[in-house]
Amino acid sequence: YYPYWHPTEWRDAAVFTSDTKRCGFYRDESQNVKGKGHCKVTVPGNEATLPPDTQIPNHEEACKQRGGQWEEKEPWAIDPPECLALPESRDNHLGNIGTTGPQYYTWRVPETIKDNDVCVFRLRYNITSSDLGVEKKDGENDPGFDFFRDLDSGFNGDNAKLKGDPKKDFVGMGARVSGPLQLQ
């Protein structure tokens, strides 16, 4: 999810969003312009399997309560990311927009990247899909549900619409599923 809560090695170039009212938030919370902190605390075993009351805290106060040390990393001190409206695209068409072809972004390499520097350019593609309807308690789809506004972490865990790696024809095309559906 973006923006990251903790320090990262990545510098942000651009954010595309369906809700440009969030642009100020995305730009202000980027580590380009805002320092990020993390908790250094000793944890027993594998932190990915710790019960919630022993997981690494996300905030300074909880970190100190657990006996941890909160460490702040400085911002990168570069321009905030550009924030642009996401052009409308049909579901499952991988960014083809209207009749103009694929979506693109022209990135100007910053002057701070010197000749012969070694760089990695990473594209991160987070998507909220409207392929699955959200059901009311009576089992009917809720036509007022907005997947870009209303789908949030409340649909994780036991409330997830898809559990595990289901084998099902979700779009009604009679497709045969030969392997597990990989969900992220």
Side-chain angles (χ1 to χ4, degrees):
Y1 298 98
Y2 183 86
Y4 305 110
W5 300 344
H6 299 294
T8 177
E9 66 273 14
W10 302 107
R11 276 63 165 179
D12 303 320
V15 175
F16 288 88
T17 179
S18 58
D19 184 0
T20 56
K21 290 179 269 184
R22 295 184 60 85
C23 280
F25 171 74
Y26 292 140
R27 291 170 56 85
D28 293 346
E29 290 295 320
S30 166
Q31 193 176 339
N32 290 8
V33 297
K34 181 180 181 180
K36 300 287 180 169
H38 67 109
C39 185
K40 288 194 74 164
V41 63
T42 303
V43 293
N46 180 352
E47 71 180 72
T49 60
L50 292 175
D53 61 333
T54 60
Q55 289 182 3
I56 297 173
N58 239 0
H59 302 283
E60 183 173 7
E61 184 177 322
C63 177
K64 289 179 179 176
Q65 287 175 355
R66 284 272 317 282
Q69 179 181 346
W70 189 256
E71 290 189 359
E72 286 283 333
K73 300 292 183 183
E74 293 294 318
W76 299 120
I78 58 177
D79 289 338
E82 191 172 0
C83 188
L84 304 158
L86 182 66
E88 289 197 19
S89 173
R90 287 177 43 198
D91 288 348
N92 300 318
H93 279 254
L94 299 177
N96 284 340
I97 52 177
T99 59
T100 61
Q103 178 182 346
Y104 65 92
Y105 173 73
T106 302
W107 178 58
R108 183 181 176 104
V109 177
E111 297 292 329
T112 55
I113 299 177
K114 303 296 182 201
D115 290 344
N116 299 318
D117 270 359
V118 175
C119 298
V120 174
F121 189 79
R122 178 178 87 149
L123 298 176
R124 183 155 183 213
Y125 184 68
N126 290 344
I127 185 170
T128 301
S129 175
S130 60
D131 288 347
L132 300 173
V134 174
E135 296 178 358
K136 297 179 186 176
K137 289 182 181 175
D138 61 9
E140 295 294 319
N141 283 346
D142 181 356
F145 189 88
D146 182 327
F147 282 85
F148 292 105
R149 185 190 70 233
D150 300 330
L151 191 63
D152 60 21
S153 62
F155 289 91
N156 291 342
D158 290 339
N159 296 324
K161 289 301 183 184
L162 298 176
K163 309 269 192 258
D165 288 325
K167 294 181 181 179
K168 183 177 176 184
D169 177 14
F170 294 102
V171 294
M173 297 184 69
R176 292 192 176 139
V177 179
S178 60
L181 175 64
Q182 298 299 313
L183 303 175
Q184 294 183 348

